[in-house]
Amino acid sequence: MSAVFDVLPEHLAARARLELLFDAGTFRAIRSAVGDGVLSGSGRVQGRAVCAWAQDGSFKGGSLGSAGGETIARTIQRADSMGVPVVGFPHSGGARLQEGVAALTAYGSIFRAQALARVPMISVISGPCAGGAAYSPALGDFVVMTQDAVMFLTGPKIIERVTREQISAADLGGPKVHGTNGVSHMVARDDVHAAELVRELLTFLPNTIGAGTPLVPPVDAPSGDPSDALPDSDRQVYDVRDVAAAVLDAGTLFELAPKWARNLTVAFGRVEGRAVGVIANQARYLGGCLDAAAAEKGAWFVNMCNRFGIALVVLSDTPGFLPGAMQEQAGVLRHGASLLRAFGAATVPRVTVTLRQAYGGAHIVMNSRDLGATLTLAWPDARIGVMGARQAVELVRRREIEAGADAAVLAEAYEAEHLPVRIAAAAGFVDEVIAPSETRDRIAHVLELAGTA
């Protein structure tokens, strides 16, 4: 056995995952004599100090005992006191029944340490994560699941016993489930890929709140105009990630939760080497309409970026909020208000670029001027208004249409008179109408000013 794995047997699987995360030879264990199925310590990730802990699922079924719980809690507290990120690898069936309330107390200490922490917290789920163990990832900032991971509060056997419902572990809490409900933000092929994702994710994050995001050497954006991604017709869809990629440093688009609320894209990237968070309406799904799920996703992302001091780039192209009884029942008002609150309270630099259209409440909620945007830009053909032209004339010119007036002609006239972005810009509601090719330079200028303030 190599010196790398010269530890207690119950630490073997846990040690292997930690070694995948850290730079070779940098991991140093703490509390290794305590054992109890948990290994913790610190090391370096691309030369940067990081703390981490991992559970071994083969030790007493991965159950958490009081000693192991104390190790995890102390690791999080240690990371917080040193001001470095912490990565956890839970692999657990929940609290150790033989220890009773002591095991529950251990979970309580972990949860409190997480609630108080000011450092980035990342969880990697590579196997079962059940019961109290499942709360820890949800309390953190980011969750990575491998293809064979499962995570739930109550397992299939108990569910069947209580409700007689039969369901597999994967269908109950696999990555397909949690990738669409927002619990998991990344899905990895295996442990190696999970470690690669975490290592890349850390490059966008500060060590702790207020520390500033890492700077890397600038990389030019891909050649071409970002508006090349837009189709000729407003009724055609496109992938907003193509626009984002044309604005960001080449190869830096790092999307989060791509299967959750697919009508809103959130991602990390860089502009001239500075980390940014991108939040964009995705026309490929629901035509870019906002709904309850998208508002919830957006609020999570904006709050997280603001917490860690990451500037925001907002690409707005939305016809409005999705109407309907189902949306009201889903709490679209509450979730929409959460996104409004997130943008309104954010203190990081944030630039909004209206690409094609922004109507009604969706225009406001996508980081409008009066929510405190640092800079609001728009492309020349964009339109901004209370609602689209056709819907507007059906309301304000209803009697004329009933009398035989051509609704299409009326809509064309309304659009020309009220919706061109130059009208909003002349009134000061948009700071500047720019050529799409200027977008990256404008964003970079704001970030540079903020970085030297």
Side-chain angles (χ1 to χ4, degrees):
M1 185 180 296
S2 68
V4 169
F5 296 103
D6 188 17
V7 290
L8 296 177
E10 64 264 27
H11 289 335
L12 290 180
R15 181 74 180 244
R17 286 173 177 151
L18 293 174
E19 291 289 350
L20 285 171
L21 171 68
F22 289 115
D23 299 344
T26 65
F27 175 69
R28 300 292 182 270
I30 60 169
R31 289 173 60 89
S32 58
V34 174
D36 204 32
V38 177
L39 180 64
S40 72
S42 55
R44 294 197 173 273
V45 175
Q46 300 184 52
R48 177 181 175 189
V50 173
C51 287
W53 58 269
Q55 286 179 278
D56 194 316
S58 66
F59 182 81
K60 297 187 177 181
S63 61
L64 183 79
S66 57
E70 183 182 3
T71 296
I72 295 172
R74 284 175 60 84
T75 302
I76 298 168
Q77 291 165 349
R78 180 170 177 251
D80 195 43
S81 66
M82 294 191 303
V84 300
V86 59
V87 181
F89 294 82
H91 191 136
S92 173
R96 189 170 299 156
L97 298 179
Q98 297 90 328
E99 294 193 21
V101 177
L104 297 180
T105 300
Y107 274 125
S109 64
I110 294 170
F111 300 156
R112 185 171 190 273
Q114 289 185 272
L116 295 176
R118 293 169 52 84
V119 297
M121 292 176 285
I122 303 170
S123 295
V124 180
I125 319 298
S126 299
C129 184
Y135 272 124
S136 182
L139 273 170
D141 299 299
F142 303 95
V143 176
V144 182
M145 294 183 74
T146 61
Q147 294 286 357
D148 56 353
V150 291
M151 182 166 49
F152 36 68
L153 288 179
T154 307
K157 291 183 179 179
I158 296 178
I159 288 176
E160 183 177 359
R161 189 177 304 127
V162 174
T163 69
R164 299 189 178 181
E165 177 187 4
Q166 293 185 339
I167 188 170
S168 69
D171 289 338
L172 179 62
K176 288 186 178 179
V177 175
H178 292 308
T180 56
N181 66 17
V183 173
S184 174
H185 307 107
M186 289 154 279
V187 176
R189 295 183 298 274
D190 49 32
D191 283 333
V192 174
H193 187 212
E196 292 171 351
L197 288 173
V198 173
R199 288 173 64 87
E200 184 175 0
L201 173 61
L202 284 167
T203 66
F204 297 103
L205 303 175
N207 280 342
T208 187
I209 292 175
T213 55
L215 283 174
V216 302
V219 178
D220 290 340
S223 59
D225 191 307
S227 66
D228 290 344
L230 270 60
D232 295 333
S233 170
D234 291 345
R235 295 184 179 276
Q236 292 179 303
V237 300
Y238 66 99
D239 194 332
V240 76
R241 292 173 298 186
D242 294 335
V243 177
V247 171
L248 300 171
D249 293 0
T252 64
L253 184 69
F254 188 88
E255 188 174 4
L256 299 170
K259 299 295 180 65
W260 175 33
R262 303 177 86 171
N263 46 324
L264 190 75
T265 293
V266 299
F268 288 131
R270 293 189 186 88
V271 176
E272 297 291 344
R274 300 177 188 271
V276 297
V278 177
I279 176 169
N281 304 113
Q282 177 56 285
R284 292 179 65 189
Y285 301 96
L286 299 179
C289 281
L290 288 170
D291 62 357
E296 181 185 10
K297 179 180 181 178
W300 162 75
F301 186 70
V302 172
N303 284 328
M304 182 272 298
C305 286
N306 191 58
R307 181 170 181 255
F308 290 123
I310 301 171
L312 286 160
V313 174
V314 183
L315 303 180
S316 178
D317 184 358
T318 175
F321 274 91
L322 187 68
M326 289 183 64
Q327 284 300 303
E328 298 298 341
Q329 293 163 8
V332 66
L333 283 171
R334 173 166 52 86
H335 293 302
S338 294
L339 183 53
L340 283 168
R341 183 180 297 109
F343 272 127
T347 57
V348 294
R350 50 197 197 279
V351 179
T352 296
V353 185
T354 301
L355 309 181
R356 289 197 304 185
Q357 59 185 343
Y359 292 129
H363 160 67
I364 300 172
V365 80
M366 290 298 289
N367 193 47
S368 61
R369 181 201 70 169
D370 295 297
L371 281 185
T374 308
L375 182 67
T376 55
L377 305 170
W379 289 355
D381 293 333
R383 298 175 307 284
I384 298 176
V386 176
M387 62 180 64
R390 186 59 183 258
Q391 295 91 332
V393 298
E394 286 175 353
L395 288 176
V396 301
R397 311 290 289 274
R398 176 175 56 85
R399 292 183 178 178
E400 294 173 56
I401 294 172
E402 291 173 349
D406 189 326
V409 173
L410 293 176
E412 185 177 345
Y414 180 91
E415 180 171 336
E417 183 179 355
H418 296 285
L419 300 184
V421 71
R422 58 179 170 74
I423 296 173
F429 302 127
V430 171
D431 290 319
E432 197 70 19
V433 178
I434 62 169
S437 59
E438 299 177 53
T439 305
R440 174 181 165 87
D441 178 70
R442 288 283 190 156
I443 294 170
H445 182 65
V446 170
L447 298 178
E448 182 182 9
L449 289 176
T452 58

